[in-house]
Amino acid sequence: MTESLLFRGAKILGADSADILVQDGRIAEVGAGLSAAGARVVDADGLVALPGLVDLHTHLREPGFEASETVLSGTRAAAAGGFTAVFAMPNTSPVADSAGVVEQELALGEVAGYATVQPIGAVTVGQKGERLAELGAMASSRANVRVFSDDGFCVWDPLIMRRALEYVKAFDGVIAQHAQDPRLTEGAQLNEGAVSAELGLAGWPAVAEESIIARDILLAEHVGSRLHVCHLSTAGSVELIRWAKKRGVAVTAEVTPHHLLLTDELARGYDARFKVNPPLRTQEDVLAVREGLADGTIDIVATDHAPHPSEAKACEWQAAANGMVGLESALRVVHQAMVQTGLLDWTDVARVMSSAPARIGSLAGHGTPIAAGQPAEFTLYDAAAQGVFAEADLHGQSTNSPYLGRDLPGKVLWTVHRGYATLADGVLVELGS
């Protein structure tokens, strides 16, 4: 399926312009005035060339919840957003807690062809928090799982969390924790604060996140194992990660695009598109997580792409499902929240959205530089574009985006995966046609 492609005049990481020649699934040359007989020539003048984006936190829903998303539809959404690899969360049915299920997810991604699908294994059987899942079997399976998470549920039992950290240390795995104390968030509907009080909605306090992060930092330090904190959302959480890194603890953390931009004020209209877990926080939290991402305390941006059918969102707030789709909008939101504000440049974006997530997830062949000899995994982005985000920009099976009707900068025009285009001139390529 590979093709010969010649992109002329792309700005590598937003800096110097160069031609990029793709042949046989790899980047053959990068330089000025390149030519190649038979190559498809693309005018990329002024487009920002970034390594293919890597999402460490995607919900693809298959198997079991195909009404919300499938591996095919989810990876099409990924390609439209500039992603060439996604890590699939295990809250499927059956739960991805065995070698058989993770190998099935891997195979579905290979057949779809739009992005590398790297399964994440559950920490506990059925994500029930009672006993460890088959961590070793998943690690040694064809899926080569290195990230384990009960995302959607906190590994609340400290003994089970300790044992999980000890187990994965043997093969340099990482436990990705959904930091939420369940007792402190029973019935929670919105960030605990002025807005939740005014709306009469049960509050989700910041301490419910921060107390689990603090505990797990100490456990990871004690065990000497790797901990990753999912969708960090509060100013206090940023300070805890900063403290842990100064101590030399092997902890990494992610922030979502929506926690970089949106606040709990949006809940005032009871629009369930803005209901998410962890909840949207305050403007002070938004500024703190931006600063944390800018100074390296927070390692990566991850989408927490969480598709739901329309009936799960078109209802009263209390009954609505948590979650937002985010693959197609992620780069544009990071552009607005971090690049346009001067907090990150395009080299930084490549780090937090490509190379660092690939490194944390031990995913070879992704997050690599745009240089001769490297795998042809990259995206071309029109940073000068501007437009209203609309349903036409969504390519998955669900439309629960918080950005519909919002003006966002930029547009992903090309995504190249394994040497072939999955997105060309802003249009998804129909693979196999």
Side-chain angles (χ1 to χ4, degrees):
M1 198 185 294
T2 60
E3 52 186 322
S4 183
L5 298 165
L6 178 57
F7 296 91
R8 293 197 181 280
K11 298 174 68 176
I12 309 296
L13 302 182
D16 296 335
S17 294
D19 300 342
I20 306 169
L21 176 62
V22 174
Q23 291 178 324
D24 300 321
R26 305 193 77 82
I27 297 173
E29 289 184 79
V30 176
L34 301 184
S35 62
R40 179 181 180 183
V41 178
V42 177
D43 181 6
D45 184 39
L47 301 183
V48 176
L50 297 169
L53 306 185
V54 177
D55 188 19
L56 198 65
H57 195 142
T58 304
H59 297 273
L60 293 179
R61 305 303 191 200
E62 187 177 12
F65 304 104
E66 289 83 358
S68 298
E69 195 79 284
T70 66
V71 171
L72 175 60
S73 66
T75 53
R76 283 171 62 89
F83 289 88
T84 58
V86 295
F87 283 73
M89 280 293 175
N91 55 338
T92 51
S93 182
V95 170
D97 58 5
S98 66
V101 179
V102 295
E103 287 182 346
Q104 177 189 0
E105 292 176 333
L106 180 74
L108 287 168
E110 291 170 341
V111 170
Y114 283 93
T116 296
V117 174
Q118 176 57 52
I120 290 176
V123 177
T124 64
V125 174
Q127 295 181 294
K128 294 180 179 179
E130 297 170 351
R131 57 191 176 93
L132 289 182
E134 301 174 6
L135 308 184
M138 288 186 280
S140 60
S141 72
R142 196 171 75 87
N144 193 37
V145 177
R146 288 296 180 272
V147 183
F148 299 88
S149 180
D150 274 359
D151 185 61
F153 303 94
C154 179
V155 182
W156 183 73
D157 186 321
L159 180 59
I160 289 178
M161 186 63 180
R162 174 184 174 170
R163 295 295 182 239
L165 288 164
E166 289 173 333
Y167 200 113
V168 301
K169 183 180 178 181
F171 47 80
D172 194 31
V174 59
I175 301 298
Q177 175 69 293
H178 174 111
Q180 176 185 0
D181 188 310
R183 293 297 303 277
L184 291 174
T185 55
E186 289 181 4
Q189 295 288 324
L190 184 65
N191 175 58
E192 183 177 279
V195 177
S196 66
E198 290 175 28
L199 298 181
L201 295 173
W204 200 122
V207 70
E209 174 175 304
E210 295 158 8
S211 60
I212 296 296
I213 293 175
R215 181 204 73 177
D216 288 351
I217 286 169
L218 295 176
L219 286 173
E221 182 177 43
H222 178 71
V223 172
S225 188
R226 290 204 292 145
L227 169 71
H228 179 75
V229 178
C230 296
H231 41 50
L232 178 154
S233 67
T234 77
S237 295
V238 177
E239 287 305 311
L240 285 166
I241 300 297
R242 189 173 283 127
W243 173 79
K245 288 189 171 184
K246 287 179 180 178
R247 287 174 66 91
V249 181
V251 60
T252 54
E254 70 190 34
V255 64
T256 70
H258 46 273
H259 287 113
L260 288 170
L261 187 64
L262 310 178
T263 74
D264 58 355
E265 291 289 336
L266 291 165
R268 291 189 180 278
Y270 294 100
D271 184 341
R273 288 184 301 129
F274 301 111
K275 186 179 181 184
V276 66
N277 184 359
L280 300 179
R281 302 291 188 178
T282 67
Q283 184 64 22
E284 289 76 17
D285 292 308
V286 167
L287 295 176
V289 297
R290 286 184 184 182
E291 180 184 353
L293 184 64
D295 68 18
T297 300
I298 299 172
D299 300 84
I300 66 170
V301 174
T303 71
D304 194 7
H305 176 82
H308 292 289
S310 58
E311 60 269 22
K313 285 291 191 178
C315 57
E316 64 272 20
W317 183 278
Q318 289 89 335
N322 287 305
M324 305 168 168
V325 294
L327 286 166
E328 298 98 332
S329 53
L331 182 55
R332 298 175 67 179
V333 173
V334 170
H335 183 184
Q336 183 174 83
M338 300 301 296
V339 179
Q340 288 188 334
T341 55
L343 293 170
L344 296 182
D345 61 22
W346 292 112
T347 299
D348 297 321
V349 172
R351 171 175 50 83
V352 302
M353 298 189 75
S354 184
S355 60
R359 173 182 52 80
I360 292 167
S362 302
L363 185 62
H366 288 273
T368 53
I370 300 175
Q374 296 289 348
E377 306 276 352
F378 60 89
T379 187
L380 296 177
Y381 181 69
D382 183 359
Q386 189 81 22
V388 174
F389 194 78
E391 282 197 22
D393 295 306
L394 297 172
H395 299 276
Q397 290 192 181
S398 299
T399 59
N400 54 303
S401 168
Y403 306 109
L404 294 176
R406 192 182 189 101
D407 202 39
L408 292 176
K411 183 176 179 62
V412 179
L413 290 181
W414 287 83
T415 304
V416 176
H417 171 54
R418 294 181 176 169
Y420 57 87
T422 55
L423 184 77
D425 283 329
V427 178
L428 278 169
V429 177
E430 296 303 320
L431 302 180
S433 62

